[in-house]
């Protein structure tokens, strides 16, 4: 039987939900206008005032917020509450520029933890469970969000953070951990390490895992489920909006329910900014309608996906977002072809390879080159160069069929690609463009 953390909200009718969104959006626009001069200036430049926004139907009138705005307003320019009313800060890694800072009042933290509690409950967590949170803690939102959600559900919570893999496995066995929260690449690594230790799914009590913070394919999900003997659930979030828990997967495992009482989702054309019809594929845009300290309106996520409004078998009425098929800004354009790492991962897993790989893009004599370095499993590893060459050619053909372009494939020895305990480093783009 499906369980809910807040059933009166998670199963409310679409009409009730829209009325709640209308009310909260109007209030939020007024809050932003009154308290965020940076965003007020953007609204004025577009000729929009709070009086123009009567509900969700008017959302398209508001200007977008982008990551460039967040960097321009760094660090405090988009705060909606005075510092004395804020209790928490989180931040992105800042690998491509200034860090993005996000601020929280205690009310913001409480609502965020409720969203994470909904995700945990959907994955089967109860007060009888032991939840091992192996996301990183600190400025990264993963550890803090699932930790707080675990407390709200009443789980016995292990704030183990990432790393020290053998200790992770030891804690699972000694403390009877039943729920695991971490990145999918780290979950795969845990399973790989267990295998090396001579352990199988029956040697750990895990029943479910919540994995997010990086892209992963359906094939990788099946691999993790088989290796760890669990049901693997997806979760979606952005530091800019709060962190994990913006959307989460239910037992149906065919899309993530967006917490629409807190976040309004739109799909736009990434080139024109035009709102696309229901069911279209495009860029995901979120408006936060309950966040006090960092209230972003029409934030462009750059994630490419679709929304699914069909009724869900789990009984939740909130719209589902499909797993993002890539990002409009992280998407690789190679010789004029759009390439998403998830497409490459699908080919590799379909051919029986583990999920440890690297994509290396370069430019030689004014032409793009694509190399995929793939780690062989111990069973595949051989000094028979003919066998390796045959396998490489199979992958070259599989990638050509999927991507529509040729790639060099290099099969490398097991364990030769550096493991990541956080987000996996998949792409190395050496082009000076």
């Amino acid at each position: 039987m499906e369980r809910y953390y807040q059933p009166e909200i998670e199963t409310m009718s679409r009409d009730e939900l829209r009325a709640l969104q209308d009310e909260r959006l109007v209030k939020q626009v007024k809050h932003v206008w009154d308290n965020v001069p940076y965003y007020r200036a953007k609204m004025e430049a577009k000729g929009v005032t709070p009086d123009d926004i009567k509900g969700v139907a008017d959302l398209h009138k508001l200007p977008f917020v982008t990551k460039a705005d967040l960097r321009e307003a760094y660090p405090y320019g988009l705060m909606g509450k005075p510092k004395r009313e804020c209790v928490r800060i989180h931040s992105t890694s800042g690998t491509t520029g200034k860090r993005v800072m996000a601020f929280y009042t205690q009310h913001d933290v409480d609502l965020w933890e409720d969203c994470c509690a909904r995700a945990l409950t959907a994955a089967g967590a109860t007060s009888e469970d032991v939840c091992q949170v192996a996301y990183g803690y600190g400025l990264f939102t993963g550890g803090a969000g699932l930790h707080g959600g675990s407390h709200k559900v009443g789980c016995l919570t292990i704030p183990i953070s990432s790393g020290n893999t053998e200790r992770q496995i030891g804690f699972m066995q000694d403390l009877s951990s039943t729920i695991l929260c971490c990145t999918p690449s780290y979950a795969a690594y845990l399973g790989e390490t267990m295998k090396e230790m001579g352990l199988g799914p029956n040697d750990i009590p895990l029943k479910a895992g919540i994995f997010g913070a990086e892209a992963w394919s359906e094939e990788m999900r099946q691999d993790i489920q088989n290796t760890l003997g669990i049901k693997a659930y997806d979760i979606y979030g952005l530091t800019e909006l709060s962190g994990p828990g913006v959307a989460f997967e239910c037992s149906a495992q065919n899309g993530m329910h967006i917490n629409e009482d807190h976040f309004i989702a739109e799909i736009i054309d990434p080139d024109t900014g035009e709102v696309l019809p229901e069911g279209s594929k495009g860029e995901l845009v979120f408006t936060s309608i309950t966040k006090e300290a960092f209230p972003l309106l029409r934030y462009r996520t750059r994630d490419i996906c679709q929304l699914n409004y069909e009724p869900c078998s789990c009984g939740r009425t909130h719209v589902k977002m499909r797993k993002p098929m890539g990002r409009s800004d992280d998407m690789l354009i190679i010789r004029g072809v759009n390439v998403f790492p998830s497409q490459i991962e699908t080919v590799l897993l379909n051919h029986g390879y583990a999920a440890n790989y690297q994509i290396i893009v370069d430019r030689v004599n004014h032409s793009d080159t694509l190399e995929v370095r793939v780690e062989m499993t111990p069973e595949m590893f051989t000094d028979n160069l003919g066998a390796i060459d045959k396998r490489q050619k199979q992958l070259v053909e599989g990638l050509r069929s999927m991507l529509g372009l040729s790639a060099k494939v290099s099969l490398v020895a097991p364990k030769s690609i550096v493991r990541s305990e956080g987000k996996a480093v998949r792409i190395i783009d050496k082009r000076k463009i």
Side-chain angles (χ1 to χ4, degrees), residues 20-227:
L20 180 62
Q21 288 181 329
D22 286 343
E23 176 190 330
R24 288 182 169 177
L25 176 63
V26 169
K27 183 179 177 182
Q28 185 74 307
V29 171
K30 183 72 165 60
H31 169 59
V32 168
W33 176 270
D34 290 341
N35 296 287
V36 186
Y38 183 96
Y39 197 75
R40 178 174 180 164
K42 286 180 73 74
M43 288 177 65
E44 287 175 334
K46 202 174 179 190
V48 184
T49 72
D51 291 339
D52 297 315
I53 309 300
K54 310 295 185 188
V56 177
D58 296 319
L59 189 59
H60 68 279
K61 298 176 183 177
L62 294 168
F64 292 114
V65 174
T66 66
K67 191 161 281 190
D69 288 310
L70 272 57
R71 290 185 176 127
E72 185 179 327
Y74 175 94
Y76 293 121
L78 282 165
M79 281 181 71
K81 288 285 186 178
K83 278 188 283 184
R84 66 178 179 276
E85 294 183 34
C86 297
V87 299
R88 178 93 62 85
I89 183 172
H90 283 286
S91 170
T92 62
S93 58
T95 53
T96 58
K98 282 184 181 175
R99 288 178 176 272
V100 169
M101 297 292 184
F103 303 91
Y104 304 74
T105 62
Q106 186 57 53
H107 183 62
D108 292 335
V109 172
D110 288 340
L111 295 185
W112 176 27
E113 291 179 349
D114 283 342
C115 289
C116 289
R118 292 179 193 178
L120 282 157
T121 303
T126 71
S127 58
E128 301 296 320
D129 284 292
V130 177
C131 182
Q132 186 159 324
V133 183
Y135 282 111
Y137 280 66
L139 287 172
F140 176 58
T141 56
L146 273 304
H147 178 102
S150 177
H151 275 211
K152 289 253 177 144
V153 173
C155 300
L156 177 60
T157 308
I158 308 174
I160 196 166
S161 194
S162 58
N164 203 331
T165 304
E166 291 192 8
R167 183 182 68 174
Q168 298 266 5
I169 295 165
F171 268 55
M172 285 179 198
Q173 293 180 304
D174 296 344
L175 299 177
S176 299
S177 305
T178 50
I179 309 286
L180 173 66
C181 303
C182 63
T183 62
S185 57
Y186 192 54
Y189 184 38
L190 282 166
E192 190 179 296
T193 305
M194 279 176 49
K195 197 172 181 181
E196 290 172 358
M197 294 169 67
L199 301 174
N202 293 334
D203 296 307
I204 55 172
L206 287 182
K207 67 178 186 181
I210 295 180
F211 308 124
E214 63 188 17
W216 55 310
S217 62
E218 190 59 36
E219 291 83 2
M220 188 173 180
R221 184 215 297 269
Q222 297 304 327
D223 185 54
I224 290 170
Q225 289 188 152
N226 293 336
T227 306

Side-chain angles (χ1 to χ4, degrees), residues 229-374:
I230 62 173
K231 193 162 182 175
Y233 294 82
D234 208 348
I235 191 168
Y236 177 90
L238 297 159
T239 299
E240 298 91 321
L241 293 173
S242 65
V246 172
F248 62 91
E249 217 166 30
C250 63
S251 57
Q253 287 183 302
N254 65 354
M256 292 171 277
H257 289 281
I258 295 169
N259 284 310
E260 289 189 278
D261 53 322
H262 300 298
F263 309 100
I264 301 172
E266 302 171 272
I267 296 291
I268 66 165
D269 182 314
D271 297 321
T272 67
E274 176 193 0
V275 178
L276 297 176
E278 219 173 81
S280 300
K281 181 176 72 178
E283 181 183 339
L284 185 59
V285 172
F286 275 116
T287 292
S288 170
I289 51 175
T290 54
K291 194 93 184 281
E292 295 179 330
F294 203 62
L296 295 188
L297 306 184
R298 302 199 82 200
Y299 180 67
R300 294 187 62 161
T301 68
R302 299 295 181 182
D303 282 326
I304 302 295
C305 76
Q306 291 173 291
L307 301 181
N308 178 5
Y309 290 87
E310 295 172 5
C312 184
S313 59
C314 77
R316 291 177 179 83
T317 53
H318 294 207
V319 68
K320 288 193 292 190
M321 57 177 280
R322 300 193 189 281
K323 184 188 288 290
M325 64 165 291
R327 290 174 58 83
S328 62
D329 55 352
D330 289 350
M331 175 181 70
L332 293 165
I333 301 178
I334 301 170
R335 299 195 292 275
V337 177
N338 295 346
V339 175
F340 292 106
S342 56
Q343 294 174 301
I344 292 173
E345 184 176 292
T346 294
V347 172
L348 300 182
L349 289 166
N350 282 344
H351 282 77
Y353 294 86
N356 218 38
Y357 63 92
Q358 282 184 329
I359 301 165
I360 303 167
V361 186
D362 207 344
R363 182 161 287 172
V364 180
N365 296 327
H366 307 292
S367 179
D368 292 339
T369 62
L370 172 62
E371 179 185 359
V372 183
R373 296 181 69 233
V374 189

